[in-house]
Amino acid sequence: MKTYEVDKIEQDEIKLVGFSITESLNHVLESRIVGVLREDLAKRTDEIENANESGIYLLQIYNQDGQWTHDTPYQHVIALKVSSHGEIPADMITYTLPAGQFMKIVHAGAESEIGSTYEYINNTFGVRPIDIEYWKDIHSLENADSQIDIYIPSK
């Protein structure tokens, strides 16, 4: 059984600019839309004012009723961190992730194997309003030595 290191961290507010969609997990997996959007975002970083790092965030914002299934639509935000919200391209959105305490879990290995990490998170931490993934380098996500940082709100 795989073991996970969990760190409790204090996170400052994060301002983001990127794309937002509302889709179910099954639709996202079938259509691969999140991958398409993150590739598009990576190609368009020069269009985003005040971008201050090359990594990309994925926020998965769930319905608050806790009645989630693989077919339940929820919001996905695929975005770059910015120092401030300036002019944004017409097809993009802004989002501000409030400051707070989070648990950081690192998924080590290929992105296609991230399901086992989420199984651990779901079994350990239960229902939560949001999951945040940080992809430092989207071009190495399927490498065996890839790492994806996952942040969940601390209770």
Side-chain angles (χ1 to χ4, degrees):
M1 181 176 186
K2 197 171 187 176
T3 60
Y4 296 92
E5 187 174 317
V6 179
D7 294 315
K8 191 172 192 175
I9 64 162
E10 191 72 35
Q11 180 65 53
D12 293 335
E13 175 183 88
I14 299 175
K15 290 179 173 49
L16 299 164
V17 172
F19 301 110
S20 176
I21 60 170
T22 301
E23 297 289 349
S24 70
L25 180 59
N26 280 340
H27 186 263
V28 165
L29 294 174
E30 283 176 24
S31 68
R32 301 187 183 275
I33 187 65
V34 169
V36 170
L37 290 173
R38 77 176 168 214
E39 291 289 334
D40 191 27
L41 186 63
K43 291 176 189 168
R44 296 177 60 193
T45 56
D46 59 337
E47 295 177 39
I48 299 174
E49 283 185 18
N50 308 316
N52 55 10
E53 58 185 64
S54 59
I56 294 177
Y57 286 84
L58 168 65
L59 281 60
Q60 300 172 108
I61 305 161
Y62 305 106
N63 298 331
Q64 296 300 309
D65 64 8
Q67 303 300 313
W68 185 86
T69 71
H70 287 83
D71 292 312
T72 304
Y74 60 96
Q75 184 180 11
H76 307 256
V77 175
I78 303 98
L80 292 174
K81 182 177 180 180
V82 295
S83 55
S84 63
H85 292 137
E87 292 291 320
I88 63 164
D91 60 340
M92 293 189 190
I93 57 99
T94 62
Y95 189 92
T96 301
L97 182 64
Q101 288 188 342
F102 291 86
M103 304 304 287
K104 176 183 174 185
I105 300 103
V106 176
H107 168 73
E111 181 189 30
S112 58
E113 299 168 1
I114 202 166
S116 61
T117 301
Y118 274 105
E119 186 175 318
Y120 163 79
I121 291 169
N122 293 337
N123 290 337
T124 304
F125 300 101
V127 176
R128 53 207 175 272
I130 188 171
D131 292 326
I132 303 156
E133 292 183 20
Y134 178 71
W135 307 311
K136 187 173 185 171
D137 177 8
I138 65 165
H139 303 293
S140 66
L141 289 174
E142 282 306 309
N143 294 352
D145 62 349
S146 175
Q147 288 193 343
I148 298 171
D149 296 339
I150 301 172
Y151 302 89
I152 62 169
S154 178
K155 293 186 178 186

